[in-house]
Amino acid sequence: QVQLVESGGGSVRAGGSLTLYCAASRFFPCMGWFRQSPGKEREGVAFIASDGTTKYTDSVKGRFTISKDNAKNTLYLQMYGLKAEDAGMYRCAISSIRVCTFVKGFYPYWGQGTQVTVS
């Protein structure tokens, strides 16, 4: 059974920073973060493949950094310069696909999420 547990969310002022954590029972080739706010579709934010290749949605490029620690089975999302539109429930997701995609249907395993509020 694959387990993903997120943490690190919270409430920050616009311009602030947060680091999200996702502890995984095992790593898969593709790991990433999605977010969803009320009334909006869940969107892919950032992904990292087993070879370290990263992908970001345009709105977070230059502000968010995704990384992982293989020894700790932990996925990170460092978020800087947070904006009101970054608020939402952030969930980590993993997949056996080799090339990460922003399409949520390719990710069979999900965490429960951690809330990010930006005021």
Side-chain angles (χ1 to χ4, degrees), residues 5-84:
V5 180
E6 302 95 334
S7 61
S11 182
V12 296
R13 292 184 182 274
S17 61
L18 280 174
T19 297
L20 304 184
Y21 306 83
C22 175
S25 57
R26 55 171 289 195
F27 268 7
F28 274 58
C30 178
M31 305 182 67
W33 292 91
F34 287 78
R35 67 186 178 193
Q36 187 170 18
S37 55
K40 292 187 177 180
E41 290 286 325
R42 189 181 308 172
E43 66 166 339
V45 176
F47 301 89
I48 186 166
S50 55
D51 66 355
T53 301
T54 57
K55 290 182 177 179
Y56 299 91
T57 191
D58 286 345
S59 64
V60 307
K61 287 179 180 176
R63 300 188 298 119
F64 289 14
T65 300
I66 188 170
S67 61
K68 59 180 179 172
D69 185 328
N70 292 331
K72 296 182 179 179
N73 273 11
T74 301
L75 179 70
Y76 305 95
L77 184 66
Q78 295 173 289
M79 305 186 295
Y80 301 96
L82 283 162
K83 305 176 181 179

Side-chain angles (χ1 to χ4, degrees), residues 4-9 21-23 33 90-93 110-114:
L4 302 171
V5 180
E6 302 95 334
S7 61
Y21 306 83
C22 175
W33 292 91
Y90 283 69
R91 301 176 70 183
C92 65
W110 294 81
Q112 292 298 308
T114 185

Side-chain angles (χ1 to χ4, degrees), residues 96-111:
S96 60
I97 56 176
R98 297 291 176 177
V99 178
C100 295
T101 170
F102 290 89
V103 179
K104 59 183 181 291
F106 283 93
Y107 295 84
Y109 303 107
W110 294 81

